[in-house]
Amino acid sequence: MGLKIYKFGGASVRDAAGVRNVAAIIERCAGEELYVVVSAMGKMTNAFEALLEKYMQSSDYESDMQYVQRFHLEICEELFPSHHAVFAELERYFVQIENLLEQNRSQSYSFVYDQLVVFGELLSTTIVSQYLAWAGVENTWLDAREIIRTSADYREGKVDWALTCSNLQQVRAEGMCVIQGFIGSDENYFSTTLGREGSDYTGAILAYCLDAESLTIWKDVAGVLNADPRYFEETHLLQKISYEEAIELAYYGASIIHPKTLQPLQRKKIPLYVRSFEREELPGSVITEGAAIEPLVPCFIVKKGQTVVRVATKDFSFIDEEILQKIFDNLSKNKLKVNLMQISAISVLLCVEDKYSLLATALKDFEENFVVQKYGSCSLYTIRHGAANSAEQIERSGEVLIHQQNGNTLQLVIQA
């Protein structure tokens, strides 16, 4: 039996009961070669971000720090006897966090973000690894920062595949290993992160570099669904999905899979399983080669919090390559993600995501050369393999600003 990769997200280890459940799943693989990727517990990444916001604004962040400490300590108090070594390990991390915040001199939000937020994963993996050992499951704890080498693009580190694969081969241990998702380091050994929700990507990196037999992502849902149950009443489990179809779904924003996760798996034909940590008996979904999706049903994806920007020429000039270059230079400079674009003779409609809160700056830049209109409170809907009436209910939910059909994919931007 070959090496396997398991990835557990924050929801699976949000409390002591979750850690016990994860340990029970892992324990069934005792004796096998297994790498276990673990995210920060619960909503800890959000908690570290809240702490960072106060820190960067020179506000009092002590209550946020106390919350982070108390959250992890209370979980450990349920899992371990009071004299267990894990408490000293946690205290060591808490001291490192305090020292980082006291000694930091950088004004770069992204840099400080990566140095701080990585502690969410370091804390969670330490607790999981120690609990497995306490329960009698031998394992090796690995520091992803010593293995996954990236560029110095903080918050969006780009993987150095050759060096990362070499590092993994050097530290490869038999049996079971526990490692952090989401994090790595640059050539100067400063911490980096792989982008939000990047723990899935970590699993794919390990699978690729170690020629794993499979990657399994354990979720709080039965597998990959054809629609998000938070927004759509009727959903169906997709039992099998091709790499190509899954990449399309991820590109359009399906939240079940990180967009960067699938490419390295597809290159080496490594199957990706998506299973429920709450109902382990269910088979879940598998992403591999083959038919697009089974069963073939319409797939619905929604992205909330979008903004539509209409950029038009002031002198009624046609939109040509030179004008488009100016538009995209501005978008790139202000780190605006374009999720949909529609071009007419003298204007461009852009459905954008303001990830770094730079939209206002971009609009000001646009206004120097263009007539600009902004439409807020928008949602981008994508329908794959839809029937003739698949979009009717969506179209009734608000004003349709953009309607675009491309093959078997229909996209709608609705302003509520």
Side-chain angles (χ1 to χ4, degrees):
M1 190 173 291
L3 180 149
K4 297 178 181 177
I5 313 291
Y6 278 4
K7 181 264 174 176
F8 293 93
S12 66
V13 289
R14 61 182 176 268
D15 52 26
V19 174
R20 291 192 189 97
N21 182 59
V22 165
I25 294 172
I26 294 170
E27 194 170 3
R28 285 185 263 283
C29 300
E32 298 181 26
E33 195 171 10
L34 177 70
Y35 275 65
V36 180
V37 180
V38 184
S39 300
M41 293 177 145
K43 299 293 185 181
M44 270 300 106
T45 299
N46 292 345
F48 274 107
E49 289 175 343
L51 190 161
L52 178 61
E53 289 294 334
K54 290 184 180 179
Y55 172 78
M56 296 300 288
Q57 296 169 10
S58 300
S59 300
D60 183 8
Y61 57 83
E62 187 59 32
S63 62
D64 297 87
M65 185 64 196
Q66 289 175 358
Y67 171 71
V68 168
Q69 294 175 338
R70 187 170 62 252
F71 177 88
H72 292 95
L73 288 171
E74 287 178 355
I75 288 176
C76 287
E77 286 166 359
E78 286 193 53
L79 295 173
F80 300 96
S82 59
H83 60 275
H84 196 279
V86 71
F87 293 99
E89 285 290 301
L90 264 59
E91 182 59 31
R92 182 170 63 87
Y93 285 126
F94 298 151
V95 170
Q96 289 179 18
I97 295 170
E98 292 283 10
N99 289 342
L100 166 68
L101 298 175
E102 290 174 5
Q103 298 171 12
N104 170 63
R105 296 294 178 268
S106 175
Q107 297 300 310
S108 168
Y109 180 91
S110 293
F111 174 79
V112 182
Y113 180 100
D114 278 8
Q115 309 321 300
L116 177 64
V117 170
V118 295
F119 282 98
E121 273 69 19
L122 294 170
L123 287 161
S124 68
T125 51
T126 296
I127 293 171
V128 170
S129 176
Q130 293 273 11
Y131 183 74
L132 285 168
W134 186 76
V137 181
E138 291 186 13
N139 69 95
T140 301
W141 183 90
L142 298 175
D143 189 335
R145 297 172 299 176
E146 297 177 359
I147 297 169
I148 298 179
R149 191 71 68 234
T150 77
S151 64
D153 298 292
Y154 300 108
R155 299 180 70 188
E156 292 287 348
K158 298 175 179 61
V159 176
D160 182 328
W161 287 92
L163 187 52
T164 297
C165 288
S166 174
N167 289 342
L168 269 168
Q169 294 300 332
Q170 291 178 34
V171 304
R172 183 168 180 169
E174 294 183 1
M176 190 173 298
C177 296
V178 177
I179 188 170
Q180 309 76 39
F182 180 55
I183 73 175
S185 67
D186 64 17
E187 63 179 359
N188 294 311
Y189 297 95
F190 287 115
S191 298
T192 58
T193 60
L194 305 177
R196 197 67 193 273
E197 308 298 333
S199 290
D200 289 0
Y201 188 35
T202 298
I205 294 167
L206 298 178
Y208 178 90
C209 291
L210 294 171
D211 292 314
E213 176 184 291
S214 63
L215 166 63
T216 301
I217 296 176
W218 295 88
K219 295 276 190 178
D220 56 359
V221 292
V224 180
L225 304 178
N226 73 317
D228 190 329
R230 293 175 298 176
Y231 306 119
F232 297 91
E233 293 180 2
E234 185 178 350
T235 61
H236 301 276
L237 176 69
L238 303 179
Q239 298 164 359
K240 293 183 181 180
I241 314 164
S242 69
Y243 292 116
E244 292 78 6
E245 182 66 26
I247 288 171
E248 290 283 350
L249 293 173
Y251 172 79
Y252 290 117
S255 60
I256 197 76
I257 308 160
H258 190 280
K260 294 182 291 188
T261 298
L262 295 160
Q263 284 90 346
L265 299 176
Q266 191 274 337
R267 285 200 295 271
K268 289 195 174 180
K269 311 303 180 189
I270 299 169
L272 167 61
Y273 296 91
V274 181
R275 297 181 61 189
S276 169
F277 62 78
E278 296 177 333
R279 298 189 63 187
E280 191 185 352
E281 75 278 7
L282 297 178
S285 306
V286 60
I287 299 171
T288 186
E289 291 188 288
I293 55 173
E294 297 177 15
L296 183 58
V297 294
C299 295
F300 299 86
I301 302 164
V302 58
K303 280 189 171 184
K304 301 285 186 178
Q306 304 292 296
T307 301
V308 171
V309 178
R310 181 179 184 271
V311 180
T313 55
K314 290 183 175 179
D315 59 357
F316 297 97
S317 299
F318 288 151
I319 298 293
D320 59 16
E321 292 82 358
E322 184 177 344
I323 290 174
L324 284 173
Q325 182 174 344
K326 288 180 181 179
I327 291 172
F328 276 93
D329 283 347
N330 184 25
L331 294 167
S332 176
K333 181 179 71 173
N334 290 292
K335 298 182 178 181
L336 290 173
K337 177 176 172 53
V338 180
N339 290 319
L340 189 63
M341 178 176 69
Q342 194 166 61
I343 302 174
S344 66
I346 61 170
S347 69
V348 179
L349 279 174
L350 302 160
C351 177
V352 300
E353 201 167 317
D354 189 15
K355 184 176 179 181
Y356 297 99
S357 301
L358 293 172
L359 178 59
T361 304
L363 294 178
K364 187 175 181 181
D365 291 344
F366 275 137
E367 287 169 354
E368 294 180 8
N369 300 299
F370 301 97
V371 177
V372 180
Q373 292 173 282
K374 170 189 165 186
Y375 307 87
S377 302
C378 296
S379 297
L380 170 61
Y381 291 87
T382 302
I383 305 172
R384 298 266 299 168
H385 312 291
N389 60 348
S390 294
E392 288 180 358
Q393 186 174 348
I394 295 172
E395 290 175 327
R396 290 196 296 267
S397 65
E399 181 182 358
V400 179
L401 298 180
I402 303 177
H403 183 290
Q404 197 168 107
Q405 181 86 42
N406 181 16
N408 64 1
T409 302
L410 170 64
Q411 292 190 280
L412 304 163
V413 180
I414 307 290
Q415 187 181 42

